[in-house]
């Protein structure tokens, strides 16, 4: 099905199943520990051996030799595969770092060997007997040192943000110089790790020249193609299966060393082999959100109308790596005739920087929305009013383009009202609750909406059961449930009559999960397949498809009503289709909007920050399942709080690695850290986006949170910290007199 004109009235609009708060159908498996993750697929490979990955001990240089003699003699060892036995292997899609093969070391903890043994403990013990000699070379590890002179480069997050190295509208410098009120500050954001619960893990098994990988991956079709390329095997001989994923956040968009090494190890050991990247390996072996240095300049008239706005970001990456697209939201969020955005890229020899939840916008808004708060204060304006004053209904870089739907102002007004914004004391450092200095802050939320081609197959059997198959993944987001809701709505059955099977490369290619494109795109693919299945049902029953009403498990036409399953009496009916999106998203800008409001307490004596309550108001088209969407937004709010307060990969700028490579040193917030979180969705539909009239929401939840927390800390203490995360050491010596 081609989607190239706005959606009219359709079956989804009935909202009998779609749009209703629905428990996740995989919830009981997750909460009872019975959803099998990749490493636990004892059913598919009961005799799997264990692979333990060895990471490089240098950040840059060459592996001179690897001596495996002692390791091979160790108890239980079945095979050892080293990087020197293979020529450098091809890279997977969208990746800058090579995963294995050859003697070159590009970054610390790059995989250099896998040791296979009967047990995990034996493999690990033997791995420590492997001797490696390196020829180390000097590398560049310090973003601040390399940022000067970093050239502007184009970049694309692959998730809906990006552009040219430099983009200009009007005359920024001239307008800024003449603006009556000017603001110019520089900020930094930290390297961050996805730190998902489930580590990267794969079981690989060969059957002749065919290989199957039970793995944990967000994008099955990308992984499928990449693995075929990396292993040098025809695509039809590779199968990926990833029905449950314990979090990804962009870290599992690509195949990683676990998958490649499991496949190589299984071949060498002539046995299925399972490989998980141990937690200490993940931070340096895989990808991360790169640190940024960002400068924002805003010029405005005294009434708060922005006349000039510039946002420049510098990040680092390996050669062939991309810049963090942190300036993208600044192209679209606020009006202003004179504009400049730039992405600069410094060469660093740290592990690869790549997509992490809302790549671009998440760190970009952490800066832009603090700058907006600072500018509002300079203007003597309320921060909410300053944003409303500068709202735009057209793309500021190309005013002929309007937004498909934009209600940022509605979000701001409703959020302010519900959070009690009017009670906020605009003067910082004034509100005290016992030992706590209390402050309130807000930030706008913005994230582009992206749609991707997505396919599905649906089958109806005689019992009236509808089975959906697509290679779409559920990375903890609720895909199983919204796909079941969509099929139930389309076929007129209850959700318990739908079976959803996901994550297998043998199924039709979907959008996959990423960039908050998954929910809208994949359900649209299911919609398309169900339109075909409805036609097949009508034809089988000898009724006119246009007259058929699918409801209550029946198909009705005129006075005739038959159980849906009767259409499959002569054999199951199957239909398959792919939704393909035309140019509709080019003519109109599709984005999602919101506001984050946060109240913090900062301990007057220790500088410790505690989030007391949070509210998000989101405008993101039709909300397919308010319950799972709310969970997504709440998760994003927790993650954004982490970026604001604690998450930072500490760079060893001499040796070139992230020093805190475990969850003891890399701290993430948990639910218990934030006592009150609420989410409100504006009741809206966006017929420009898809037949579902939905948009992405899973990443909108993180966009702007960091700034809202930072602005609340300022309101509580009067201290501006422009260097994230805002740990207590950055507050302590500037705290207002405590006692
Ligand atoms: Mo993307 S960072 O996987 O949503």
């Amino acid at each position: 099905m081609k989607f190239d004109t706005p959606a009219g009235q359709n079956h989804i609009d009935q909202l009998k199943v779609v749009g209703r708060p629905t428990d996740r159908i995989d919830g009981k498996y997750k909460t009872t520990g019975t959803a099998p993750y990749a490493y636990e697929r004892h059913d598919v490979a009961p005799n799997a051996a264990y692979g333990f990955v060895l990471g490089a001990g240098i950040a840059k240089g060459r592996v001179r030799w690897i001596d495996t003699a002692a390791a091979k003699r160790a108890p239980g060892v079945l095979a050892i595969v080293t990087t020197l036995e293979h020529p450098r292997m091809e890279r997977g899609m969208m990746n800058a770092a090579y995963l294995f093969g050859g003697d070159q070391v590009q970054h610390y903890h790059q995989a250099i060997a896998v040791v296979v043994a009967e047990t995990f403990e034996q493999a690990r013990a033997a791995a420590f007997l492997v001797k490696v000699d390196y020829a180390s070379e000097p590398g560049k590890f310090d973003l601040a040192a390399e940022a000067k002179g970093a050239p502007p480069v184009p970049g694309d997050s692959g998730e809906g943000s990006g552009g040219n190295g430099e983009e200009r509208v009007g005359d920024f410098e001239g307008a800024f110089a003449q603006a009556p009120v000017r603001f110019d500050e520089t900020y930094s954001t930290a390297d961050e790790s996805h730190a998902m619960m489930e580590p990267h893990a794969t079981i690989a098994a060969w059957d002749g020249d065919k290989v199957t990988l039970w793995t944990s991956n967000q994008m099955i079709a990308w992984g499928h193609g990449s693995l075929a390329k990396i292993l040098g095997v025809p695509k039809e001989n590779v199968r990926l299966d990833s029905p449950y994923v314990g979090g990804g956040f962009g870290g599992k968009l690509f195949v990683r060393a676990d998958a490649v090494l499991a496949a190589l190890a299984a071949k060498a050991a002539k046995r299925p082999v399972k490989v998980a990247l141990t937690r200490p390996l993940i931070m340096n072996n895989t990808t991360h959100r790169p640190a940024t240095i960002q400068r924002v300049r805003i010029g405005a008239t005294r009434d708060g109308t922005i006349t000039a706005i510039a946002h420049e970001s510098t990040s680092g990456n390996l050669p062939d790596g991309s810049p963090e697209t942190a300036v993208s939201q600044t192209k679209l969020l606020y009006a202003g005739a004179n504009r400049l955005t730039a992405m600069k890229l410094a060469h660093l020899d740290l592990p690869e920087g790549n997509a992490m939840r809302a790549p671009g916008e998440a760190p970009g808004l952490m800066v832009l929305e603090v700058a907006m708060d600072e500018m509002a204060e300079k203007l003597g304006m309320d921060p909410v009013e300053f944003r409303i004053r500068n709202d735009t209904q057209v793309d500021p870089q190309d005013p002929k383009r309007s937004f498909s739907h934009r209600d940022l102002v509605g979000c701001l007004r409703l959020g302010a009202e519900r959070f009690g914004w009017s009670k906020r004391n605009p003067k910082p450092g004034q509100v005290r609750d016992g030992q706590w200095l209390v402050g309130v802050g807000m930030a706008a939320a913005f994230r582009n909406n992206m749609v991707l081609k997505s396919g599905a197959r649906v089958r109806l059997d005689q019992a009236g059961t509808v089975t959906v198959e697509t290679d779409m993944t559920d990375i903890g987001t609720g895909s199983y449930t919204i796909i079941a809701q969509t099929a139930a709505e389309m076929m007129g059955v209850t959700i318990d009559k739908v079976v959803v099977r996901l994550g297998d490369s043998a199924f039709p290619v979907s959008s996959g999960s990423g960039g908050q494109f998954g929910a809208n795109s994949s359900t649209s693919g299911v919609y398309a397949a169900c339109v075909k299945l409805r036609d097949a049902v009508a034809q089988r029953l000898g009724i006119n498809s246009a007259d058929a009403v699918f409801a209550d498990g029946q198909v009705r036409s005129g006075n005739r009503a038959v159980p849906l399953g009767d259409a499959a009496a002569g054999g199951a009916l199957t239909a398959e289709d792919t939704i393909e999106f035309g140019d509709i998203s080019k003519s109109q800008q599709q984005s999602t909007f919101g506001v984050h409001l946060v109240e913090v307490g900062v301990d007057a004596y220790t500088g410790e920050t505690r989030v007391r309550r949070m509210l998000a108001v989101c405008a993101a088209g039709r909300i397919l399942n308010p319950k799972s969407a709310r969970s997504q937004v709440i998760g994003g709010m927790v993650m954004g709080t982490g970026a604001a307060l604690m998450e930072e990969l500490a760079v060893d700028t001499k040796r070139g690695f992230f020093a805190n490579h475990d969850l003891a040193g890399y701290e993430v917030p948990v639910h218990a850290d934030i006592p009150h979180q609420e989410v409100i969705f504006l009741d809206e539909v966006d017929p420009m986006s898809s037949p579902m009239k939905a948009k992405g929401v899973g990443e909108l939840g993180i966009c702007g949170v960091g700034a809202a927390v930072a602005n609340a800390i300022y309101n509580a203490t009067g201290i501006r910290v422009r260097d994230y995360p805002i740990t207590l050491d950055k507050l302590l010596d500037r705290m207002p007199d405590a006692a």
Side-chain angles (χ1 to χ4, degrees), residues 456-727:
R457 183 159 57 224
V458 284
R459 189 174 63 247
L460 172 68
D461 69 16
Q462 204 173 339
T465 302
V466 179
T467 301
V468 186
E469 291 175 338
T470 163
D471 83 356
M472 180 60 186
T473 48
D474 189 324
I475 61 174
T477 39
S479 308
Y480 278 105
T481 313
I482 54 172
I483 284 171
Q485 287 173 272
T486 304
E489 193 77 74
M490 289 299 288
M491 301 312 297
V493 297
T494 48
I495 196 168
D496 57 303
K497 296 297 276 182
V498 182
V499 175
V500 180
R501 302 178 65 204
L502 300 181
D504 190 329
S505 61
F507 298 155
V509 173
S510 74
S511 62
S513 296
Q516 74 170 17
F517 52 66
N520 186 31
S521 303
S522 69
T523 53
S524 295
V526 174
Y527 172 94
C530 287
V531 167
K532 278 200 171 168
L533 184 60
R534 288 170 61 110
D535 287 346
V537 166
Q539 197 183 15
R540 187 69 75 81
L541 295 174
I543 57 179
N544 188 339
S545 183
D547 303 335
V549 175
F550 290 71
D552 309 320
Q554 294 182 323
V555 189
R556 297 186 200 121
S557 174
N559 292 332
R560 189 173 160 212
V562 296
L564 177 65
D566 283 11
L573 284 171
T574 302
E576 184 176 330
D577 203 4
T578 294
I579 188 102
E580 290 184 65
F581 296 91
D583 283 347
I584 197 162
S585 65
K586 293 203 180 92
S587 57
Q588 294 201 321
Q589 176 59 38
Q590 293 183 15
S591 302
T592 62
F593 302 90
V595 61
H596 288 289
L597 295 121
V598 178
E599 180 181 300
V600 300
V602 180
D603 189 299
Y605 305 97
T606 67
E608 173 194 10
T609 299
R610 288 272 159 188
V611 172
R612 292 156 68 106
R613 60 190 181 104
M614 305 180 91
L615 169 68
V617 180
C618 300
R622 170 173 284 150
I623 300 301
L624 302 174
N625 179 352
K627 198 163 188 173
S628 55
R630 177 178 183 275
S631 296
Q632 279 297 294
V633 174
I634 283 178
M637 290 154 79
V638 174
M639 207 166 183
T641 301
L645 296 178
M646 53 186 88
E647 291 187 46
E648 175 175 26
L649 288 166
V651 184
D652 182 325
T653 54
K654 288 216 170 59
R655 294 187 167 270
F657 70 107
F658 300 126
N660 51 342
H661 43 143
D662 58 41
L663 291 178
Y666 185 88
E667 293 186 3
V668 296
V670 296
H671 286 80
D673 286 322
I674 307 171
H676 299 289
Q677 289 181 291
E678 212 34 80
V679 183
I680 299 170
F681 296 109
L682 294 194
D683 189 10
E684 63 173 45
V685 291
D686 192 335
M688 303 295 285
S689 95
S690 78
M692 304 303 291
K693 303 174 188 171
K695 291 191 205 172
V697 76
E699 293 184 338
L700 186 64
I702 191 175
C703 289
V705 175
V709 172
N711 294 337
I713 291 174
Y714 175 73
N715 183 244
T717 62
I719 305 170
R720 283 285 179 198
V721 177
R722 299 189 183 91
D723 171 28
Y724 287 105
I726 307 175
T727 45

